[in-house]
């Protein structure tokens, strides 16, 4: 069963000409989300907020920005009736990524002495790949990439 799922995932990745465009849009959105996240994190740390709460506050704002950007720009999964399902699927992902980011930034900072912002950039860069796969196959799944011609309107059926 798991082999069948992995083969299906591989064929969806390999057989799609639209993946580079989707991935490129996600990279650009992630860079914008990262800038927002790091900026808010830096402001929080500069204001005297500890690393873990500053991480969660910054991530909550950037996660809302990222969800809307993924929905409308990256995966173009904005058909009616899907917002609630997508938000419910995105929320645990955002919480897990926030927890992983906070934990890893705190551990990296404690063990290396690097600046907190550098620790955050390294950690979030590592988490990017995991987040893309989860968003693509769990949150904004549709069987096809939204920019493929045969997928136009597929979610509305």
């Amino acid at each position: 069963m798991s082999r069948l799922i992995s083969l299906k995932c591989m064929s969806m990745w390999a057989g799609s000409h639209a993946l580079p465009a989707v991935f490129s849009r996600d990279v650009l959105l992630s860079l914008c989300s990262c800038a927002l996240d790091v900026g808010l994190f830096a402001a929080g740390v500069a204001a005297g907020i500890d690393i873990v709460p500053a991480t969660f506050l910054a991530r909550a704002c950037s996660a809302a920005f990222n969800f809307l950007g993924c929905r409308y720009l990256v995966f173009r999964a904005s058909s009616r009736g899907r917002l609630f399902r997508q938000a419910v699927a995105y929320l645990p992902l955002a919480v897990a990524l926030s927890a992983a980011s906070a934990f890893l930034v705190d551990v990296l900072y404690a063990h290396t002495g690097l600046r907190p912002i550098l620790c955050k950039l390294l950690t979030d860069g590592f988490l990017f790949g995991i987040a893309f796969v989860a968003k693509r196959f769990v949150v904004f799944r549709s069987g096809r990439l939204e920019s493929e011609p045969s997928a136009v309107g597929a979610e509305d059926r």
Side-chain angles (χ1 to χ4, degrees), residues 41 44-45 48-60 102:
F41 173 78
V45 170
I49 300 173
D50 288 331
I51 287 175
V52 172
T55 300
F56 277 105
L57 290 171
R59 184 61 70 127

Side-chain angles (χ1 to χ4, degrees), residues 54-111:
T55 300
F56 277 105
L57 290 171
R59 184 61 70 127
C61 294
S62 67
F65 175 79
N66 189 270
F67 171 76
L68 294 172
C70 283
R71 178 172 164 76
Y72 294 105
L73 303 173
V74 175
F75 298 105
R76 297 179 179 160
S78 60
S79 63
R80 287 174 271 148
R82 298 285 177 138
L83 176 64
F84 183 75
R85 183 197 61 77
Q86 291 166 345
V88 166
Y90 187 85
L91 184 60
L93 173 64
V95 169
L97 289 171
S98 293
S101 179
F103 174 76
L104 292 172
V105 167
D106 199 39
V107 167
L108 193 59
Y109 176 70
H111 286 59

Side-chain angles (χ1 to χ4, degrees), residues 24-39 62 65-66 121 125 128 135:
S24 296
R25 288 192 305 260
D26 193 52
V27 168
L28 290 174
L29 176 65
S30 293
L31 289 173
C32 292
S33 296
C34 180
L36 177 64
D37 192 27
V38 171
S62 67
F65 175 79
N66 189 270
L121 289 170
F128 169 77
K135 288 183 293 187

